[in-house]
């Protein structure tokens, strides 16, 4: 199946990419790692650009677009590792006052009892009573867990938007690996000339593009089974892609100064969000047995 973006969708994607390139890229990412915290100014700028109100009907003051467009913009946030409870806040637009404009930050308790950015949130959806802080491997994703939290229903839209973020991270990992393979030289030639490196880069591209087709298809159908499959493929593309990118970079890839280690850590944390892993596998298995 071929997915061709409309002119409006391309303009939306490019607009979000341009905004993030101006406000959160390169040095800004490094500054955020050195001094973690939610950038309220950027949050309000996202609100003004319609990021949070993207799927709110025009009659209610929103942009009036759908899941395919939301997937495109969340893919861009995953590409630059934009921090913050983006999914939870986006889902609360039109429900919680002030969210659409970026004035209110919303955290949510996921199906596994994890809460991201609890201390920075103005509103928490779900019961976070007794939440205890966890040591997060990702310096840009503070975590809490609600002890004894029972199983919660999984929101398919939240699962799909997480998959879109993972897709963006997988794409960025592939870009960085190819860029490094073209410029880094060993034995008098770029390392990309060596078959082992070529195979790593090719595998990253194949996984990312396979995940892209699945995520875009799930955005069109909105079917929970399609979303579960897309989430599994996107998680794999992000995690394996970041690991392979790390291997292409060699030891320098996991130094504090290199972006690659941040891609891997964010992919790890996102993969543990509700709706991924075993939950998606169970959903697919139940569909096969039906």
């Amino acid at each position: 199946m071929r997915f061709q973006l409309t002119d409006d969708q391309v303009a939306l994607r490019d607009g979000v990419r341009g905004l993030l390139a101006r406000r959160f890229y390169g040095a800004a990412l490094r500054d955020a790692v050195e001094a973690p915290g939610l950038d309220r100014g950027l949050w309000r700028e996202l609100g003004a650009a319609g990021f949070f109100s993207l799927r709110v009907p025009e009659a209610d003051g929103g942009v009036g677009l759908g899941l395919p467009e939301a997937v495109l913009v969340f893919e861009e946030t995953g590409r630059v590792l934009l921090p913050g409870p983006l999914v939870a806040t986006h889902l609360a637009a039109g429900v919680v006052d002030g969210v659409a404009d970026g004035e209110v930050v919303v955290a949510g308790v996921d199906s596994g009892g994890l809460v991201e950015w609890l201390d920075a949130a103005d509103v928490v959806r779900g019961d976070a009573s007794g939440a205890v802080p966890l040591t997060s491997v990702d310096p840009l994703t503070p975590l809490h867990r609600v002890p004894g939290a029972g199983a919660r229903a999984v929101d398919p839209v939240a699962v799909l938007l997480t998959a879109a973020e993972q897709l963006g991270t997988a794409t960025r990992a592939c870009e960085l690996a190819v860029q490094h393979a073209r410029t880094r030289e060993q034995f008098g030639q770029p390392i990309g000339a060596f078959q082992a490196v070529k195979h790593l880069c090719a595998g990253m591209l194949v996984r990312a593009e396979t995940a892209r087709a699945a995520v875009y298809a799930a955005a069109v159908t909105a079917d929970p089974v399609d979303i579960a499959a897309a989430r599994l493929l996107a998680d794999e593309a992000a995690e394996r892609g970041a690991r392979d990118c790390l291997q292409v970079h060699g030891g320098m890839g996991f130094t504090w100064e290199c972006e690659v280690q941040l891609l891997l850590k964010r992919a790890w944390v996102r993969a543990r969000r509700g709706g991924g892993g075993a939950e998606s596998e169970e959903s697919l298995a139940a569909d096969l047995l039906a």
Side-chain angles (χ1 to χ4, degrees), residues 205-224:
L205 178 62
V206 169
R207 286 191 295 271
E209 291 305 310
T210 301
R212 186 184 313 281
V215 171
Y216 286 8
V220 172
T221 67
D223 183 88

Side-chain angles (χ1 to χ4, degrees):
M1 187 179 297
R2 182 180 179 186
F3 296 98
Q4 184 70 40
L5 301 182
T6 67
D7 291 342
D8 288 342
Q9 288 173 333
V10 171
L12 173 66
R13 182 199 62 191
D14 292 348
V16 172
R17 183 174 296 183
L19 168 63
L20 295 177
R22 292 192 303 272
R23 293 289 278 110
F24 195 82
Y25 192 74
L29 173 61
R30 179 57 53 197
D31 291 343
V33 172
E34 297 293 344
L38 194 68
D39 185 343
R40 292 278 182 158
L42 175 55
W43 208 257
R44 286 189 289 271
E45 194 167 343
L46 289 172
F51 180 90
F52 300 116
S53 62
L54 192 70
R55 296 187 306 114
V56 176
E58 290 184 85
D60 296 329
V63 180
L65 297 178
L67 267 180
E69 289 77 20
V71 159
L72 291 176
V73 299
F74 270 85
E75 183 182 346
E76 293 303 315
T77 66
R79 189 169 174 270
V80 299
L81 297 182
L82 186 67
L86 295 163
V87 173
T89 303
H90 176 86
L91 293 177
V95 179
V96 178
D97 290 340
V99 168
D101 298 329
E103 296 294 336
V104 173
V105 177
V106 177
V109 182
D110 74 9
S111 59
L114 280 178
V115 192
E116 298 180 7
W117 291 90
L118 178 62
D119 291 337
D122 302 306
V123 175
V124 181
R125 302 184 77 186
D127 185 5
S129 302
V132 295
L134 301 177
T135 300
S136 176
V137 67
D138 177 18
L140 292 176
T141 310
L143 294 172
H144 284 72
R145 184 182 293 280
V146 180
R152 292 172 170 81
V154 177
D155 184 344
V157 176
V159 176
L160 180 61
L161 295 182
T162 296
E165 289 182 303
Q166 292 284 60
L167 173 59
T169 296
T171 301
R172 180 59 178 163
C174 188
E175 292 171 349
L176 289 176
V178 171
Q179 177 184 348
H180 187 74
R182 285 173 172 169
T183 56
R184 174 69 172 175
E185 293 190 358
Q186 287 289 338
F187 308 109
Q189 59 184 323
I191 62 173
F194 300 113
Q195 189 177 54
V197 177
K198 289 180 182 179
H199 285 181
L200 283 175
C201 292
M204 293 167 65
L205 178 62
V206 169
R207 286 191 295 271
E209 291 305 310
T210 301
R212 186 184 313 281
V215 171
Y216 286 8
V220 172
T221 67
D223 183 88
V225 175
D226 291 344
I227 290 174
R231 175 66 185 276
L232 288 172
L233 289 168
D235 281 348
E236 180 187 27
E239 290 187 279
R240 289 189 60 185
R243 288 203 306 268
D244 288 350
C245 184
L246 183 67
Q247 187 169 349
V248 170
H249 279 72
M252 67 172 290
F254 220 88
T255 59
W256 192 246
E257 294 77 14
C258 190
E259 180 183 340
V260 181
Q261 48 97 11
L262 296 173
L263 294 174
L264 180 57
K265 291 172 180 176
R266 183 67 63 85
W268 277 339
V269 170
R270 284 202 210 100
R272 272 68 185 172
R273 280 185 194 163
E279 289 176 271
S280 288
E281 292 171 348
E282 289 292 335
S283 177
L284 290 173
D287 182 68
L288 289 172
L289 292 173

